[in-house]
Structures are given as structure tokens and as C-alpha cells.
């Protein structure tokens, strides 16, 4: 694709230059090509026109990836919301004091931070899709340990595992979201994080109803 005068878009081959008036150099005002001159800036891809014009119609593979990423964001939000609503019941069931509960709850962010440090390397090596799928499956199972914990130590171990899996999923699904956003050629990240927020709200309601 080549660009000429502002608002003019011309499709062309790599290296193609449409001649203009003799003696006019490249680059007009603000770095734009001089009138009558156009320059090749990139091919027309399967996602649509190259550059900021974006993709008018994303391929089916990208649409499926978008749905998968949306499900991961919503699922993680729901799980966090359910757990937040169930904390008082877990505290009462284990007979923990406020201080003991606070110590136990630290385990989740510790696991998240430790996993985040390694998750970046995992995504760099294996890509974002596979780690997101694996972590997405594990994060659904991890909260079971929190519900089955019989004492503070078991609760801390379960929270550490949940934080680690959740941190890995957080990195992988955000990296996958960036790829989906690039495939669509328009901003989508806010919608994914919005789904996470609605998931937290819905999870808290579910947790409160099941209390």
C-alpha cells in the first residue's frame, strides 16, 4: 500500500514509486510526501490494509482467539470474586483470628509475584496461547484446595498455588490479548479488562448467594 496526498490511499507493489513533478524532493510538510509522489509503506495483509487503517474483517482464527481471551478474563474475575465473598466463611470454619487470616492471605500475592517473574520467560519461549490454556485450566481447580483446607498451613499452601497459577494466567492472557488486538487492528484491551471487572462483580454475587 502506498500513501500520496493526505487522504489518498493507493495500492501498489513493493518498490513502486508514482512519479510526480520533476525536481520535487521527498517529504513535504510534517514529513508527508510531496504532492504527486507516493511511497510504498507495506503490503496488504490478510487482516486488511497495513498500518493504522486496521482490519475491517478479522479472520475466524482471530475471532476464536478473542472469544477465548474474553472467557479467560471473565473466569479469573469470577474466581476472584467468589473467593473474596467466601473469606469470612473460611475464616469462621478454620477458627482463625484476624491476624492469622491476614498472614494466610499474604500467600496469594506471594505466589502471584513469584509466578509473574517466571511467566514472562515462559511466554517468550512457548508463546502466549499454550500457557494461557494450561493456566486457565489449573486456575479453575486451584480454589478447591482453599475450600478443603483444614488449617492455616493448608490454606496458605492452597493460596500460594492459586496465586502462582493466577499470576501465570494473568501474564499469558494479557500477552494473548495483545496479539488479538493487533490482529483486529483496533483497541480491545479495555473490553477484556471490563469483562474481568464484571466477572469479579458476578463472582462476588455468586459467593454471597452461596454463603
Amino acid at each position: 500500500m502506498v500513501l500520496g496526498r493526505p487522504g489518498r490511499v493507493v495500492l501498489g507493489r513493493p518498490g513502486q514509486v508514482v512519479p510526480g513533478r520533476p525536481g520535487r524532493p521527498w517529504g513535504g510538510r510534517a514529513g508527508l510526501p510531496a504532492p504527486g509522489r507516493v511511497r510504498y509503506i507495506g503490503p496488504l495483509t490478510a487482516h486488511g490494509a497495513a498500518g493504522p487503517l486496521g482490519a475491517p474483517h478479522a479472520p475466524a482464527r482471530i475471532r476464536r482467539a478473542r472469544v477465548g481471551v474474553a472467557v479467560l478474563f471473565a473466569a479469573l474475575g469470577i474466581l476472584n470474586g467468589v473467593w473474596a465473598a467466601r473469606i469470612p466463611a473460611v475464616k469462621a470454619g478454620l477458627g482463625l483470628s484476624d491476624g492469622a487470616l491476614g498472614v494466610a492471605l499474604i500467600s496469594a500475592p506471594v505466589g502471584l509475584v513469584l509466578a509473574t517473574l517466571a511467566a514472562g520467560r515462559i511466554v517468550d519461549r512457548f508463546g502466549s496461547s499454550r500457557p494461557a490454556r494450561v493456566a486457565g485450566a489449573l486456575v479453575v481447580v486451584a480454589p478447591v484446595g482453599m475450600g478443603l483446607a483444614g488449617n492455616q498451613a493448608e490454606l496458605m499452601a492452597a493460596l500460594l498455588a492459586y496465586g502462582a497459577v493466577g499470576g501465570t494466567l494473568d501474564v499469558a492472557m494479557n500477552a494473548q490479548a495483545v496479539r488479538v488486538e493487533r490482529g483486529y487492528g483496533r483497541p480491545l484491551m479495555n473490553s477484556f479488562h471490563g469483562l474481568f471487572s464484571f466477572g469479579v462483580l458476578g463472582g462476588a454475587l455468586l459467593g454471597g448467594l452461596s454463603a
Side-chain angles (χ1 to χ4, degrees), residues 106-181:
I106 292 176
S107 300
V110 169
L112 186 148
V113 171
L114 293 177
T116 301
L117 296 175
R121 296 182 179 181
I122 295 174
V123 171
D124 286 340
R125 181 171 182 179
F126 299 103
S128 57
S129 179
R130 187 184 305 174
R133 289 197 300 266
V134 174
L138 292 177
V139 79
V140 177
V141 180
V144 176
M146 290 136 64
L148 297 178
N151 52 55
Q152 182 184 10
E154 293 177 0
L155 178 62
M156 292 180 68
L159 285 170
L160 184 69
Y162 178 69
V165 176
T168 303
L169 176 60
D170 189 22
V171 173
M173 71 183 185
N174 274 281
Q176 186 73 355
V178 171
R179 294 182 60 189
V180 171
E181 191 174 56

Side-chain angles (χ1 to χ4, degrees), residues 21-28 32-35 37:
R21 294 192 296 273
R24 292 300 298 272
W26 278 106
L32 292 174
R37 306 280 295 196

